[in-house]
């Protein structure tokens, strides 16, 4: 299985209320992708980072293979979420590995 983990920071210039609202939208939107993208084995988004963290949001997802993850990445629903995420988050960090 292929683990895909992505982390982001909030963009500067947004209020705490805007960040909370955007975080909820990101969590709900990404986790809902499981219903429309068959290649996702599991997907979870954590938006409750402690103040000791240097990132604000983390996506933890699981795929059967690199091919399955590639299909996920080009899916129109994923692309729509990616566009929104890019508009409100920054400093994307990714690690992919086989378990």
């Amino acid at each position: 299985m292929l683990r895909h983990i992505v982390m982001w920071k909030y963009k500067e210039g947004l209020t705490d209320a805007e960040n909370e609202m955007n975080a909820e939208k990101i969590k709900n939107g990404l986790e809902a992708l499981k219903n429309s993208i068959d290649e996702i084995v599991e997907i979870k988004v954590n938006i409750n980072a402690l103040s000791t963290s240097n990132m604000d949001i983390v996506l933890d997802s699981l795929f059967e293979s690199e091919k399955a993850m590639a299909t996920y990445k080009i899916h129109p629903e994923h692309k729509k979420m990616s566009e929104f995420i890019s508009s409100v988050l920054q400093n994307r960090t990714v690690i992919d590995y086989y378990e």
Side-chain angles (χ1 to χ4, degrees):
M1 297 292 232
L2 177 66
R3 182 71 59 185
H4 174 63
I5 299 174
V6 185
M7 295 177 285
W8 302 268
K9 288 197 63 66
Y10 295 127
K11 270 194 179 171
E12 294 181 23
L14 298 174
T15 66
D16 288 344
E18 289 172 316
N19 286 334
E20 286 178 26
M21 182 181 66
N22 291 334
E24 284 292 335
K25 184 174 180 178
I26 290 165
K27 178 178 176 57
N28 293 335
L30 287 174
E31 289 179 353
L33 293 177
K34 182 138 176 42
N35 299 325
S36 56
I37 304 175
D38 294 337
E39 287 76 13
I40 298 172
V41 174
E42 70 182 40
I43 190 165
K44 182 177 181 181
V45 177
N46 188 302
I47 58 173
N48 300 312
L50 298 176
S51 62
T52 54
S53 302
N54 60 9
M55 298 302 263
D56 298 308
I57 296 178
V58 62
L59 161 69
D60 184 353
S61 52
L62 189 64
F63 300 89
E64 299 250 347
S65 65
E66 290 177 59
K67 182 179 178 188
M69 186 174 67
T71 300
Y72 154 81
K73 286 182 177 182
I74 63 169
H75 191 281
E77 292 300 315
H78 175 262
K79 286 187 164 213
K80 194 182 323 180
M81 280 304 305
S82 292
E83 287 176 22
F84 174 71
I85 290 167
S86 295
S87 74
V88 297
L89 301 177
Q90 63 185 0
N91 299 340
R92 181 177 179 268
T93 300
V94 179
I95 185 168
D96 300 319
Y97 60 91
Y98 281 103
E99 300 187 327

